[in-house]
Amino acid sequence: MTVSSLCPAAGLLLCVLAWLLPPVAWPWSFADHMARHIAVVAVAAPLLAVPLAESRVARRVSPMVAVIVEFVAVWGWHVPSAHAAAQTSLFWFAMEQASYLGAGVLVWMSVLRPSLSLAGPVGLLLTSMHMTLLGALLMVGTRSVYPSEICGGAADQQVGGMIMLAVGTPIYLIAGLVLVARDLLADPAGHRRRREGARS
């Protein structure tokens, strides 16, 4: 079996674990929610996207468009009313998780495709920036913006923000650096020509 065939299986297994494992606390822990969220968008999604990176669909998707789609999905579902609906209704929970996974696969599929130059790393950098901002806002809040039925208070919310900052942000930054290195190694002469052209 090849890596490209093993990655989707690992991604699907991770999704099943993230969606079906019972919550670590009740009322629903916000930190628990965030751990599952990051597992889906930052770990499972790239694994599922690996075999799609060279597909016709991936070639038609702009990384910038994909980043905007994920931004809307992530920030939209963290609006208190939307988050509450997803944590108290199976239907809205399914919609939330489907949008997380779909947007995540869209981003990773678009940035992992070869011969993309710097558009892929820039897309991942922008994704890490908006996730850093959201994580920081959640972490510095002195009171919970979510009702007690779905969040264990300000401390629980702060731990959730820390998980986004400590796990989600580095994954996107490191992946962006890997893509830059891949691009440099694949076409060092091309990069030298672009630098010389910029200087002239």
Side-chain angles (χ1 to χ4, degrees):
M1 298 182 72
T2 63
V3 172
S4 60
S5 63
L6 289 174
C7 285
L12 287 173
L13 177 60
L14 187 57
C15 285
V16 169
L17 292 175
W19 293 336
L20 296 184
L21 284 177
V24 298
W26 193 263
W28 188 275
S29 165
F30 184 78
D32 182 275
H33 152 80
M34 188 60 73
R36 295 168 195 258
H37 167 195
I38 295 301
V40 170
V41 300
V43 184
L47 291 172
L48 292 169
V50 167
L52 302 174
E54 298 187 33
S55 67
R56 184 178 302 176
V57 174
R59 290 194 294 270
R60 293 179 176 178
V61 176
S62 163
M64 296 302 105
V65 171
V67 168
I68 292 171
V69 170
E70 186 180 48
F71 171 82
V72 172
V74 170
W75 283 74
W77 283 111
H78 284 91
V79 171
S81 58
H83 181 69
Q87 303 311 308
T88 55
S89 163
L90 182 59
F91 172 79
W92 289 113
F93 175 78
M95 293 297 99
E96 174 198 54
Q97 296 301 313
S99 63
Y100 282 161
L101 183 61
V105 169
L106 193 68
V107 166
W108 288 101
M109 177 178 67
S110 68
V111 303
L112 290 177
R113 74 177 191 261
S115 305
L116 195 60
S117 187
L118 292 178
V122 170
L124 291 178
L125 174 62
L126 292 174
T127 303
S128 73
M129 289 172 63
H130 83 70
M131 286 204 169
T132 298
L133 179 58
L134 179 58
L137 290 173
L138 292 169
M139 191 175 69
V140 301
T142 56
R143 64 182 183 85
S144 175
V145 298
Y146 303 106
S148 59
E149 293 81 5
I150 58 170
C151 182
D156 185 28
Q157 176 182 291
Q158 289 165 353
V159 173
M162 290 175 62
I163 291 172
M164 178 170 271
L165 284 173
V167 182
T169 297
I171 288 176
Y172 288 95
L173 287 176
I174 293 170
L177 292 174
V178 170
L179 291 182
V180 170
R182 181 191 70 176
D183 190 33
L184 290 172
L185 292 173
D187 187 19
H191 283 277
R192 284 197 299 271
R193 288 194 299 271
R194 285 194 286 272
R195 285 199 302 269
E196 291 169 359
R199 291 171 185 167
S200 60

